[in-house]
Amino acid sequence: MPEQKQLHLTAFMRPVSLHTGAWRYPGSYPDANFNLSHLKSFIQKLEAAKFDAFFMADHLAVLNMPVEALKRSHTVTSFEPFTLLSALSVVTEKIGLAATASTTYDEPYHIARRFASLDHLSNGRAAWNIVTTGNPESAKNFGLDEHVQHSDRYKRAREFYDVVTGLWDSFADDAFLRDQESGVYFDPGKMHVLDHRGEELKVRGPLNIARPVQGWPVIVQAGQSEPGRQLAGETAEAVFCSPRDLDAARALYADIKGRAVAVGRERDHLRILPAALVVIGDSVEEARAKRLELDRLVHYDSAIASLSVALGTDAAGFEPDAPLPVDIPETNASKTSRESVLRLAEAENLTVRQLALRYGGYSGLAFVGTPDTVADEMSVWLREEAADGFTVVFPFLPQGLDDVVQRLVPVLQERGVFRKEYQGSTLREHLGLPRPGNRFFS
Amino acid sequence: MPEQKQLHLTAFMRPVSLHTGAWRYPGSYPDANFNLSHLKSFIQKLEAAKFDAFFMADHLAVLNMPVEALKRSHTVTSFEPFTLLSALSVVTEKIGLAATASTTYDEPYHIARRFASLDHLSNGRAAWNIVTTGNPESAKNFGLDEHVQHSDRYKRAREFYDVVTGLWDSFADDAFLRDQESGVYFDPGKMHVLDHRGEELKVRGPLNIARPVQGWPVIVQAGQSEPGRQLAGETAEAVFCSPRDLDAARALYADIKGRAVAVGRERDHLRILPAALVVIGDSVEEARAKRLELDRLVHYDSAIASLSVALGTDAAGFEPDAPLPVDIPETNASKTSRESVLRLAEAENLTVRQLALRYGGYSGLAFVGTPDTVADEMSVWLREEAADGFTVVFPFLPQGLDDVVQRLVPVLQERGVFRKEYQGSTLREHLGLPRPGNRFFS
């Protein structure tokens, strides 16, 4: 019998829930994004459940939204990723620590150095989620009036990756002798000066820190645009993505793995981990009811705006507690998105209000059911080559996280699709990724 | 009787010793700069001794030195300040955490955010050592061929300070309501958009993190040049400096405090903390012998180069084990520095070799003696208004640090010039500094 394929699970933890109503759910911690003791308890529970990693998205601005929506957002204040993950590295031993860092609004020397430092502090648990920063508000915090063009951002990102990985290779793994007798601290023949002079970047090096424990921290990538997929195929070792259903996920999976193989990489050296909201109940009905209760905590004014965007038509005049009108016009705005709203309305028999609250809360991929039905769905995605695992989005915390680690994970473990113990100690080992060689020293 | 003036003590911890022979001293940890468990034990001992702060200098490059000196340097690999201090914040409760960050090679939004995050993680213990980065090698790691001019660096630094402190004031202290019932997370009337448009910087804001616990992290400054002193007078709350003796320190103290008063600040709202190597022995002779033993661990080739610089003349041809020649010519290079070499040679009756090793090791201010003689000297500096305390440089670790915390500190405490317990919980409280008001919200 062939060995059972294994799921990888990372936890989406900035914000701790992407659902905009999460902080209002009964029993939740309203300050969960910004309270170190809560975050410590979350990561320790995730480590006890043997999750691969704790994942911090990031924004370099207060997001631009209407003040009525902004004032209701639980994400406005949060810790900066490197300071938080470094603090959490001290209270954990095995779980990976993934930080988002921008190639558009930061410098490769800083990025290389901070990830190397986090990797050393955590004994090989760091991952870099490469983003080019899509939010135009960020540009204004970094001296620009306009956002950097998409194609220019990706061109810089590709070169930035070469520079950062080159800086990580500044020293051979065995460069540091620390010989008290002779007084030689390191072998200068094992130090490489990068002296990069490219189209976008000029960086001399060497980096002022020893080579990371993992050689290079794990490379994560999230873009789904054409240049984003190509960057992922060429460089990413884990991909965070948001396909809307199984078919879309299979296509994305095949596309990105294909791009990796086309540039000579191993198919298994890239893990595809779609984001999925997971809501667990005693029955499917109870889980759905929990989700509807959560959706009800979204403010209607901002919710109806989100539904209007998804439909491509102004929904503010629709009767809130009736079904969607049957004659909604097709527009150029977003055909795929409109169709998925109509499908959802029919499948779950939702009113305009319920649909609006869904789109204003979290409208991405969701697994809502019992531990067994969710484990079934996850296994299908794994078997069908739609995913190598998931980036789990919690609906509310702590309860939604507790449900996953106490109820879903044991079922996955019993079925033999998720580890009962960590086999290695680095994040690369958890993900089954090789340690990269040093390009300057063999 | 007037209240006894109190010393403030911070520990210079990057590198853990500035003395280039420190890592070779018998019993020392050769990897002390880059071993988290050692650094944890150091900071916990410093906290038990009630030190004000743990101070991380920084470099944004591997320093440019001849390879024979470089390969002997224990500072080439070290943790990055924010990642290390965040990790150490979790294993301590009271001691301040001071990080160096450059205004020349970083962005104010990043700097403001990281210090705010560290201040929240540590419950109000962060300090920002503002540097303009004097090392020309750093420029080459950040896209430039030449270093930014001194005056341009200070102009940018002054504006950078205004932007960072303005970003820290983005939210009123009571902006976050987190009212689960009404769904209002924060009061948008208590959020300020900075929209800074200056000569050097353009930054919109607001910062995406709540106002720091201390209002603003403590501002530290180290420059001793004319613009450095002026920046300190206008902005610094603690000054790290390197006067060579009591007279020079008194002049510097009066000058910087005078500049602060001239711009309307309180004289006591700025603490002047000269760096001082502290070597403790059972007798003055034994302490001096320890220092000579430490100096002997410096490599002669790099040592004689340092002495040549200090003398302003090539010392490589001098007889190593004889006194300095009497006919050393005066040059334009550095009259003050040459005279201090001659004074030192006479005072301690040192040979060329011993002088060279002193200059190659650590040639700044040093207190070398018994706990009582060192406490006497420190008390004189405090009384004579040459210092409000010291930035203690350890000769070697752990022993040199243990000598200070176990032998010197108890003597200072018995004399009533140093705290026996922390009175407050934030670094501002340790240093007797006020919490700044928010410039946009009263």
Side-chain angles (χ1 to χ4, degrees), chain A residues 161-201:
Chain A
Y161 164 86
D162 287 336
V163 174
V164 168
T165 54
L167 288 170
W168 283 333
D169 287 346
S170 291
F171 292 95
D173 288 313
D174 60 352
F176 292 92
L177 309 169
R178 300 189 178 94
D179 181 352
Q180 288 178 309
E181 188 56 39
S182 70
V184 175
Y185 196 78
F186 77 100
D187 177 352
K190 295 188 172 175
M191 179 180 88
H192 179 84
V193 179
L194 185 66
D195 210 12
H196 175 90
R197 293 158 189 269
E199 283 187 51
E200 300 278 331
L201 299 163

mmCIF file of all heavy atoms in Angstrom, chain A residues 161-201:
data_model
loop_
_atom_site.group_PDB
_atom_site.id
_atom_site.type_symbol
_atom_site.label_atom_id
_atom_site.label_comp_id
_atom_site.label_asym_id
_atom_site.label_seq_id
_atom_site.Cartn_x
_atom_site.Cartn_y
_atom_site.Cartn_z
ATOM 1 N N TYR A 161 14.600 38.857 -4.385
ATOM 2 C CA TYR A 161 14.762 37.472 -3.929
ATOM 3 C C TYR A 161 16.196 36.986 -4.173
ATOM 4 O O TYR A 161 16.812 36.359 -3.305
ATOM 5 C CB TYR A 161 13.744 36.584 -4.668
ATOM 6 C CG TYR A 161 14.031 35.106 -4.605
ATOM 7 C CD1 TYR A 161 13.585 34.326 -3.540
ATOM 8 C CD2 TYR A 161 14.750 34.474 -5.636
ATOM 9 C CE1 TYR A 161 13.845 32.958 -3.492
ATOM 10 C CE2 TYR A 161 15.014 33.116 -5.598
ATOM 11 C CZ TYR A 161 14.565 32.362 -4.520
ATOM 12 O OH TYR A 161 14.835 31.022 -4.471
ATOM 13 N N ASP A 162 16.726 37.284 -5.368
ATOM 14 C CA ASP A 162 18.114 36.870 -5.667
ATOM 15 C C ASP A 162 19.095 37.512 -4.685
ATOM 16 O O ASP A 162 20.050 36.872 -4.244
ATOM 17 C CB ASP A 162 18.507 37.278 -7.094
ATOM 18 C CG ASP A 162 17.837 36.413 -8.148
ATOM 19 O OD1 ASP A 162 17.447 35.265 -7.830
ATOM 20 O OD2 ASP A 162 17.701 36.881 -9.300
ATOM 21 N N VAL A 163 18.870 38.783 -4.375
ATOM 22 C CA VAL A 163 19.789 39.489 -3.476
ATOM 23 C C VAL A 163 19.684 38.925 -2.061
ATOM 24 O O VAL A 163 20.698 38.645 -1.412
ATOM 25 C CB VAL A 163 19.508 41.007 -3.474
ATOM 26 C CG1 VAL A 163 20.371 41.708 -2.430
ATOM 27 C CG2 VAL A 163 19.768 41.593 -4.859
ATOM 28 N N VAL A 164 18.458 38.742 -1.577
ATOM 29 C CA VAL A 164 18.284 38.258 -0.197
ATOM 30 C C VAL A 164 18.891 36.866 -0.044
ATOM 31 O O VAL A 164 19.639 36.592 0.904
ATOM 32 C CB VAL A 164 16.789 38.266 0.203
ATOM 33 C CG1 VAL A 164 16.566 37.494 1.503
ATOM 34 C CG2 VAL A 164 16.309 39.711 0.361
ATOM 35 N N THR A 165 18.598 35.964 -0.978
ATOM 36 C CA THR A 165 19.157 34.607 -0.851
ATOM 37 C C THR A 165 20.675 34.648 -1.009
ATOM 38 O O THR A 165 21.391 33.899 -0.336
ATOM 39 C CB THR A 165 18.504 33.643 -1.865
ATOM 40 O OG1 THR A 165 18.619 34.194 -3.183
ATOM 41 C CG2 THR A 165 17.038 33.415 -1.544
ATOM 42 N N GLY A 166 21.175 35.540 -1.865
ATOM 43 C CA GLY A 166 22.623 35.695 -1.992
ATOM 44 C C GLY A 166 23.258 36.199 -0.702
ATOM 45 O O GLY A 166 24.341 35.748 -0.300
ATOM 46 N N LEU A 167 22.585 37.129 -0.027
ATOM 47 C CA LEU A 167 23.109 37.638 1.258
ATOM 48 C C LEU A 167 23.088 36.540 2.318
ATOM 49 O O LEU A 167 23.996 36.464 3.159
ATOM 50 C CB LEU A 167 22.301 38.850 1.726
ATOM 51 C CG LEU A 167 22.509 40.146 0.942
ATOM 52 C CD1 LEU A 167 21.475 41.208 1.354
ATOM 53 C CD2 LEU A 167 23.919 40.710 1.146
ATOM 54 N N TRP A 168 22.054 35.699 2.302
ATOM 55 C CA TRP A 168 22.010 34.592 3.281
ATOM 56 C C TRP A 168 23.204 33.652 3.094
ATOM 57 O O TRP A 168 23.629 32.985 4.043
ATOM 58 C CB TRP A 168 20.704 33.805 3.140
ATOM 59 C CG TRP A 168 19.510 34.494 3.740
ATOM 60 C CD1 TRP A 168 19.507 35.398 4.769
ATOM 61 C CD2 TRP A 168 18.135 34.323 3.357
ATOM 62 N NE1 TRP A 168 18.215 35.804 5.031
ATOM 63 C CE2 TRP A 168 17.357 35.158 4.194
ATOM 64 C CE3 TRP A 168 17.481 33.554 2.389
ATOM 65 C CZ2 TRP A 168 15.963 35.245 4.096
ATOM 66 C CZ3 TRP A 168 16.099 33.631 2.300
ATOM 67 C CH2 TRP A 168 15.347 34.470 3.139
ATOM 68 N N ASP A 169 23.729 33.607 1.864
ATOM 69 C CA ASP A 169 24.877 32.741 1.576
ATOM 70 C C ASP A 169 26.217 33.450 1.792
ATOM 71 O O ASP A 169 27.250 32.966 1.323
ATOM 72 C CB ASP A 169 24.782 32.237 0.123
ATOM 73 C CG ASP A 169 23.696 31.176 -0.068
ATOM 74 O OD1 ASP A 169 23.205 30.642 0.944
ATOM 75 O OD2 ASP A 169 23.349 30.878 -1.226
ATOM 76 N N SER A 170 26.216 34.600 2.490
ATOM 77 C CA SER A 170 27.464 35.358 2.691
ATOM 78 C C SER A 170 28.552 34.537 3.374
ATOM 79 O O SER A 170 29.738 34.735 3.120
ATOM 80 C CB SER A 170 27.195 36.612 3.537
ATOM 81 O OG SER A 170 26.422 37.559 2.825
ATOM 82 N N PHE A 171 28.158 33.663 4.274
ATOM 83 C CA PHE A 171 29.154 32.853 4.984
ATOM 84 C C PHE A 171 28.877 31.364 4.757
ATOM 85 O O PHE A 171 27.713 30.935 4.744
ATOM 86 C CB PHE A 171 29.101 33.119 6.499
ATOM 87 C CG PHE A 171 29.565 34.494 6.879
ATOM 88 C CD1 PHE A 171 28.661 35.533 7.043
ATOM 89 C CD2 PHE A 171 30.918 34.758 7.055
ATOM 90 C CE1 PHE A 171 29.090 36.810 7.367
ATOM 91 C CE2 PHE A 171 31.355 36.033 7.386
ATOM 92 C CZ PHE A 171 30.443 37.065 7.543
ATOM 93 N N ALA A 172 29.946 30.595 4.588
ATOM 94 C CA ALA A 172 29.792 29.137 4.572
ATOM 95 C C ALA A 172 29.245 28.695 5.930
ATOM 96 O O ALA A 172 29.433 29.383 6.946
ATOM 97 C CB ALA A 172 31.135 28.471 4.300
ATOM 98 N N ASP A 173 28.580 27.550 5.936
ATOM 99 C CA ASP A 173 27.995 27.062 7.195
ATOM 100 C C ASP A 173 29.057 26.849 8.274
ATOM 101 O O ASP A 173 28.768 26.956 9.467
ATOM 102 C CB ASP A 173 27.236 25.754 6.950
ATOM 103 C CG ASP A 173 25.925 25.976 6.189
ATOM 104 O OD1 ASP A 173 25.176 26.892 6.575
ATOM 105 O OD2 ASP A 173 25.663 25.256 5.213
ATOM 106 N N ASP A 174 30.289 26.557 7.844
ATOM 107 C CA ASP A 174 31.351 26.280 8.823
ATOM 108 C C ASP A 174 32.383 27.412 8.887
ATOM 109 O O ASP A 174 33.548 27.173 9.191
ATOM 110 C CB ASP A 174 32.017 24.944 8.499
ATOM 111 C CG ASP A 174 32.640 24.945 7.094
ATOM 112 O OD1 ASP A 174 32.419 25.916 6.331
ATOM 113 O OD2 ASP A 174 33.341 23.967 6.767
ATOM 114 N N ALA A 175 31.951 28.649 8.612
ATOM 115 C CA ALA A 175 32.910 29.767 8.573
ATOM 116 C C ALA A 175 33.434 30.156 9.956
ATOM 117 O O ALA A 175 34.567 30.631 10.090
ATOM 118 C CB ALA A 175 32.263 30.983 7.908
ATOM 119 N N PHE A 176 32.614 29.948 10.975
ATOM 120 C CA PHE A 176 32.968 30.490 12.296
ATOM 121 C C PHE A 176 33.700 29.464 13.157
ATOM 122 O O PHE A 176 33.118 28.468 13.578
ATOM 123 C CB PHE A 176 31.715 31.049 12.995
ATOM 124 C CG PHE A 176 31.204 32.266 12.291
ATOM 125 C CD1 PHE A 176 30.246 32.166 11.291
ATOM 126 C CD2 PHE A 176 31.748 33.513 12.569
ATOM 127 C CE1 PHE A 176 29.831 33.289 10.588
ATOM 128 C CE2 PHE A 176 31.330 34.649 11.880
ATOM 129 C CZ PHE A 176 30.366 34.533 10.878
ATOM 130 N N LEU A 177 34.972 29.723 13.384
ATOM 131 C CA LEU A 177 35.847 28.788 14.099
ATOM 132 C C LEU A 177 35.882 29.106 15.587
ATOM 133 O O LEU A 177 35.943 28.221 16.420
ATOM 134 C CB LEU A 177 37.269 28.893 13.535
ATOM 135 C CG LEU A 177 37.371 28.788 12.004
ATOM 136 C CD1 LEU A 177 38.774 29.168 11.536
ATOM 137 C CD2 LEU A 177 37.046 27.355 11.568
ATOM 138 N N ARG A 178 35.936 30.376 15.923
ATOM 139 C CA ARG A 178 35.999 30.847 17.318
ATOM 140 C C ARG A 178 37.109 30.136 18.102
ATOM 141 O O ARG A 178 36.862 29.599 19.185
ATOM 142 C CB ARG A 178 34.648 30.656 18.021
ATOM 143 C CG ARG A 178 33.506 31.406 17.350
ATOM 144 C CD ARG A 178 32.237 31.378 18.183
ATOM 145 N NE ARG A 178 31.158 32.128 17.552
ATOM 146 C CZ ARG A 178 30.219 31.597 16.762
ATOM 147 N NH1 ARG A 178 30.211 30.302 16.532
ATOM 148 N NH2 ARG A 178 29.300 32.365 16.225
ATOM 149 N N ASP A 179 38.292 30.139 17.529
ATOM 150 C CA ASP A 179 39.424 29.434 18.137
ATOM 151 C C ASP A 179 40.126 30.368 19.129
ATOM 152 O O ASP A 179 40.904 31.235 18.734
ATOM 153 C CB ASP A 179 40.373 28.962 17.029
ATOM 154 C CG ASP A 179 41.562 28.195 17.593
ATOM 155 O OD1 ASP A 179 41.739 28.154 18.832
ATOM 156 O OD2 ASP A 179 42.317 27.644 16.776
ATOM 157 N N GLN A 180 39.832 30.167 20.411
ATOM 158 C CA GLN A 180 40.374 31.082 21.438
ATOM 159 C C GLN A 180 41.899 31.041 21.467
ATOM 160 O O GLN A 180 42.541 32.044 21.737
ATOM 161 C CB GLN A 180 39.808 30.718 22.818
ATOM 162 C CG GLN A 180 38.332 31.099 22.975
ATOM 163 C CD GLN A 180 37.771 30.701 24.327
ATOM 164 O OE1 GLN A 180 37.911 29.553 24.737
ATOM 165 N NE2 GLN A 180 37.130 31.632 25.005
ATOM 166 N N GLU A 181 42.466 29.877 21.182
ATOM 167 C CA GLU A 181 43.914 29.709 21.262
ATOM 168 C C GLU A 181 44.631 30.550 20.200
ATOM 169 O O GLU A 181 45.465 31.391 20.520
ATOM 170 C CB GLU A 181 44.260 28.214 21.116
ATOM 171 C CG GLU A 181 45.708 27.865 21.360
ATOM 172 C CD GLU A 181 46.184 28.328 22.735
ATOM 173 O OE1 GLU A 181 45.415 28.228 23.711
ATOM 174 O OE2 GLU A 181 47.332 28.821 22.809
ATOM 175 N N SER A 182 44.262 30.362 18.930
ATOM 176 C CA SER A 182 44.933 31.084 17.836
ATOM 177 C C SER A 182 44.390 32.502 17.681
ATOM 178 O O SER A 182 45.033 33.351 17.056
ATOM 179 C CB SER A 182 44.739 30.348 16.520
ATOM 180 O OG SER A 182 43.379 30.436 16.100
ATOM 181 N N GLY A 183 43.196 32.763 18.196
ATOM 182 C CA GLY A 183 42.608 34.088 18.062
ATOM 183 C C GLY A 183 41.873 34.294 16.747
ATOM 184 O O GLY A 183 41.445 35.407 16.446
ATOM 185 N N VAL A 184 41.691 33.243 15.957
ATOM 186 C CA VAL A 184 40.960 33.382 14.694
ATOM 187 C C VAL A 184 39.478 33.115 14.949
ATOM 188 O O VAL A 184 39.099 32.017 15.367
ATOM 189 C CB VAL A 184 41.515 32.430 13.615
ATOM 190 C CG1 VAL A 184 40.653 32.515 12.345
ATOM 191 C CG2 VAL A 184 42.958 32.791 13.300
ATOM 192 N N TYR A 185 38.646 34.139 14.690
ATOM 193 C CA TYR A 185 37.221 34.022 14.964
ATOM 194 C C TYR A 185 36.483 33.364 13.793
ATOM 195 O O TYR A 185 35.591 32.568 13.996
ATOM 196 C CB TYR A 185 36.636 35.410 15.244
ATOM 197 C CG TYR A 185 35.282 35.347 15.907
ATOM 198 C CD1 TYR A 185 35.174 35.065 17.264
ATOM 199 C CD2 TYR A 185 34.125 35.543 15.175
ATOM 200 C CE1 TYR A 185 33.942 34.979 17.875
ATOM 201 C CE2 TYR A 185 32.882 35.464 15.778
ATOM 202 C CZ TYR A 185 32.794 35.178 17.129
ATOM 203 O OH TYR A 185 31.563 35.089 17.732
ATOM 204 N N PHE A 186 36.852 33.754 12.592
ATOM 205 C CA PHE A 186 36.249 33.082 11.429
ATOM 206 C C PHE A 186 37.251 33.026 10.303
ATOM 207 O O PHE A 186 38.240 33.755 10.282
ATOM 208 C CB PHE A 186 34.950 33.773 11.003
ATOM 209 C CG PHE A 186 35.153 35.047 10.240
ATOM 210 C CD1 PHE A 186 35.046 35.077 8.849
ATOM 211 C CD2 PHE A 186 35.465 36.229 10.895
ATOM 212 C CE1 PHE A 186 35.232 36.250 8.142
ATOM 213 C CE2 PHE A 186 35.654 37.404 10.197
ATOM 214 C CZ PHE A 186 35.536 37.423 8.817
ATOM 215 N N ASP A 187 36.974 32.150 9.341
ATOM 216 C CA ASP A 187 37.857 31.959 8.193
ATOM 217 C C ASP A 187 37.421 32.912 7.083
ATOM 218 O O ASP A 187 36.353 32.726 6.488
ATOM 219 C CB ASP A 187 37.730 30.494 7.733
ATOM 220 C CG ASP A 187 38.563 30.206 6.493
ATOM 221 O OD1 ASP A 187 39.113 31.154 5.890
ATOM 222 O OD2 ASP A 187 38.646 29.014 6.128
ATOM 223 N N PRO A 188 38.222 33.944 6.796
ATOM 224 C CA PRO A 188 37.795 34.927 5.788
ATOM 225 C C PRO A 188 37.650 34.326 4.391
ATOM 226 O O PRO A 188 36.945 34.889 3.548
ATOM 227 C CB PRO A 188 38.889 35.996 5.826
ATOM 228 C CG PRO A 188 40.013 35.413 6.581
ATOM 229 C CD PRO A 188 39.514 34.270 7.400
ATOM 230 N N GLY A 189 38.263 33.167 4.151
ATOM 231 C CA GLY A 189 38.061 32.477 2.878
ATOM 232 C C GLY A 189 36.659 31.908 2.746
ATOM 233 O O GLY A 189 36.249 31.497 1.664
ATOM 234 N N LYS A 190 35.925 31.873 3.858
ATOM 235 C CA LYS A 190 34.546 31.365 3.842
ATOM 236 C C LYS A 190 33.516 32.487 3.946
ATOM 237 O O LYS A 190 32.386 32.278 4.375
ATOM 238 C CB LYS A 190 34.366 30.316 4.939
ATOM 239 C CG LYS A 190 35.249 29.094 4.629
ATOM 240 C CD LYS A 190 35.018 27.927 5.538
ATOM 241 C CE LYS A 190 35.811 26.722 5.006
ATOM 242 N NZ LYS A 190 35.738 25.579 5.908
ATOM 243 N N MET A 191 33.944 33.693 3.590
ATOM 244 C CA MET A 191 33.027 34.841 3.526
ATOM 245 C C MET A 191 32.956 35.308 2.078
ATOM 246 O O MET A 191 33.994 35.489 1.428
ATOM 247 C CB MET A 191 33.546 35.970 4.407
ATOM 248 C CG MET A 191 32.665 37.215 4.376
ATOM 249 S SD MET A 191 33.310 38.542 5.441
ATOM 250 C CE MET A 191 34.414 39.377 4.307
ATOM 251 N N HIS A 192 31.742 35.499 1.565
ATOM 252 C CA HIS A 192 31.567 35.935 0.179
ATOM 253 C C HIS A 192 30.977 37.347 0.130
ATOM 254 O O HIS A 192 29.988 37.632 0.800
ATOM 255 C CB HIS A 192 30.628 34.975 -0.554
ATOM 256 C CG HIS A 192 30.382 35.374 -1.976
ATOM 257 N ND1 HIS A 192 31.240 35.037 -2.992
ATOM 258 C CD2 HIS A 192 29.405 36.115 -2.546
ATOM 259 C CE1 HIS A 192 30.796 35.541 -4.129
ATOM 260 N NE2 HIS A 192 29.683 36.201 -3.887
ATOM 261 N N VAL A 193 31.599 38.218 -0.678
ATOM 262 C CA VAL A 193 31.056 39.568 -0.894
ATOM 263 C C VAL A 193 30.186 39.524 -2.148
ATOM 264 O O VAL A 193 30.685 39.306 -3.248
ATOM 265 C CB VAL A 193 32.194 40.594 -1.053
ATOM 266 C CG1 VAL A 193 31.612 41.982 -1.308
ATOM 267 C CG2 VAL A 193 33.076 40.590 0.189
ATOM 268 N N LEU A 194 28.875 39.705 -1.968
ATOM 269 C CA LEU A 194 27.921 39.517 -3.071
ATOM 270 C C LEU A 194 28.164 40.494 -4.213
ATOM 271 O O LEU A 194 28.203 40.123 -5.378
ATOM 272 C CB LEU A 194 26.491 39.688 -2.520
ATOM 273 C CG LEU A 194 25.352 39.406 -3.497
ATOM 274 C CD1 LEU A 194 25.331 37.938 -3.896
ATOM 275 C CD2 LEU A 194 24.006 39.794 -2.868
ATOM 276 N N ASP A 195 28.314 41.762 -3.876
ATOM 277 C CA ASP A 195 28.537 42.834 -4.859
ATOM 278 C C ASP A 195 27.514 42.789 -5.999
ATOM 279 O O ASP A 195 27.875 42.847 -7.182
ATOM 280 C CB ASP A 195 29.969 42.736 -5.402
ATOM 281 C CG ASP A 195 30.494 44.112 -5.785
ATOM 282 O OD1 ASP A 195 29.857 45.120 -5.423
ATOM 283 O OD2 ASP A 195 31.540 44.175 -6.461
ATOM 284 N N HIS A 196 26.250 42.732 -5.627
ATOM 285 C CA HIS A 196 25.170 42.698 -6.622
ATOM 286 C C HIS A 196 24.971 44.075 -7.259
ATOM 287 O O HIS A 196 24.822 45.073 -6.555
ATOM 288 C CB HIS A 196 23.875 42.239 -5.929
ATOM 289 C CG HIS A 196 22.678 42.299 -6.842
ATOM 290 N ND1 HIS A 196 22.300 41.246 -7.617
ATOM 291 C CD2 HIS A 196 21.803 43.307 -7.100
ATOM 292 C CE1 HIS A 196 21.229 41.595 -8.330
ATOM 293 N NE2 HIS A 196 20.907 42.838 -8.019
ATOM 294 N N ARG A 197 24.953 44.129 -8.575
ATOM 295 C CA ARG A 197 24.638 45.363 -9.304
ATOM 296 C C ARG A 197 23.641 45.015 -10.387
ATOM 297 O O ARG A 197 24.013 44.592 -11.485
ATOM 298 C CB ARG A 197 25.904 45.933 -9.950
ATOM 299 C CG ARG A 197 26.913 46.435 -8.934
ATOM 300 C CD ARG A 197 28.317 46.475 -9.526
ATOM 301 N NE ARG A 197 29.286 46.741 -8.471
ATOM 302 C CZ ARG A 197 29.689 47.962 -8.131
ATOM 303 N NH1 ARG A 197 29.232 49.011 -8.767
ATOM 304 N NH2 ARG A 197 30.569 48.124 -7.154
ATOM 305 N N GLY A 198 22.356 45.131 -10.055
ATOM 306 C CA GLY A 198 21.309 44.736 -11.002
ATOM 307 C C GLY A 198 20.567 45.951 -11.533
ATOM 308 O O GLY A 198 20.978 47.097 -11.329
ATOM 309 N N GLU A 199 19.440 45.680 -12.197
ATOM 310 C CA GLU A 199 18.680 46.784 -12.786
ATOM 311 C C GLU A 199 17.971 47.598 -11.718
ATOM 312 O O GLU A 199 17.787 48.797 -11.849
ATOM 313 C CB GLU A 199 17.653 46.235 -13.773
ATOM 314 C CG GLU A 199 18.272 45.827 -15.113
ATOM 315 C CD GLU A 199 17.189 45.441 -16.111
ATOM 316 O OE1 GLU A 199 16.236 46.222 -16.311
ATOM 317 O OE2 GLU A 199 17.287 44.329 -16.674
ATOM 318 N N GLU A 200 17.518 46.916 -10.653
ATOM 319 C CA GLU A 200 16.715 47.588 -9.628
ATOM 320 C C GLU A 200 17.497 47.830 -8.341
ATOM 321 O O GLU A 200 17.161 48.718 -7.573
ATOM 322 C CB GLU A 200 15.487 46.722 -9.279
ATOM 323 C CG GLU A 200 14.563 46.436 -10.443
ATOM 324 C CD GLU A 200 13.596 47.582 -10.709
ATOM 325 O OE1 GLU A 200 13.254 48.300 -9.753
ATOM 326 O OE2 GLU A 200 13.191 47.751 -11.875
ATOM 327 N N LEU A 201 18.486 47.006 -8.086
ATOM 328 C CA LEU A 201 19.124 47.002 -6.770
ATOM 329 C C LEU A 201 20.644 46.944 -6.875
ATOM 330 O O LEU A 201 21.180 46.301 -7.794
ATOM 331 C CB LEU A 201 18.646 45.777 -5.973
ATOM 332 C CG LEU A 201 17.150 45.700 -5.683
ATOM 333 C CD1 LEU A 201 16.756 44.283 -5.267
ATOM 334 C CD2 LEU A 201 16.766 46.689 -4.577
#
